[in-house]
Amino acid sequence: MAEDPARSHHGLDRVQHAADSQGYAEEQAFLSQNAVAMRKMMADMMIKPSGDIDRDFVEMMVPHHQGAVDMAKTELEYGRNARLRRLAQQIVATQQREITVMQNAVSDGASAVAQSPGRPHAVLQQPDPIAGSAAHDGTRMSQ
């Protein structure tokens, strides 16, 4: 077999092979970490209903949001696209904030519902610190 002199000169094909191998290894690590995050998220979202719709909602949504955080962190570890890395940073911050808001709403809501037994479905009027967030649809992605 004849070698391509343009590629084998100065070991260029060895360098390309090493770069291809590195890229493949990174891609496999990225895919593996995301698969772990997805499996954990899906398993954690399978809850036993408590009879409290709000609590059940939070119990399912927290792992969903944590899965997004874990996947975004994997993008930050392996991704190279600056725009996507900024989006991943925003996802981490926003989803973590939303987890806290949901957890606080359930703990705050338990006492609020107990205080108004005649209106079990009363809407609590609390300021939403993440109103207008575009974390899921990406419409406010930084340029």
Side-chain angles (χ1 to χ4, degrees), residues 52-71:
D52 179 339
I53 292 170
D54 297 323
R55 185 168 303 282
D56 292 349
F57 171 74
V58 170
E59 289 298 316
M60 289 184 283
M61 287 302 290
V62 167
H64 176 70
H65 279 43
Q66 186 60 51
V69 168
D70 295 342
M71 293 172 69

Side-chain angles (χ1 to χ4, degrees), residues 13 29 37 39 102 124 130:
D13 52 348
R39 279 193 301 273
M102 285 186 285
L124 301 175
I130 54 173

Side-chain angles (χ1 to χ4, degrees), residues 78-142:
Y78 296 103
R80 292 183 180 84
N81 182 304
R83 193 170 173 191
L84 291 176
R85 290 177 54 79
R86 281 192 304 274
L87 176 61
Q89 289 170 333
Q90 291 172 352
I91 288 169
V92 169
T94 302
Q95 298 290 306
Q96 287 176 334
R97 255 190 333 268
E98 290 180 3
I99 288 170
T100 301
V101 168
M102 285 186 285
Q103 290 170 333
N104 289 341
V106 168
S107 62
D108 294 346
S111 60
V113 170
Q115 293 172 1
S116 47
R119 295 186 60 196
H121 299 290
V123 176
L124 301 175
Q125 297 297 322
Q126 297 177 350
D128 185 354
I130 54 173
S133 170
H136 294 319
D137 66 10
T139 56
R140 294 193 329 170
M141 186 165 42
S142 299

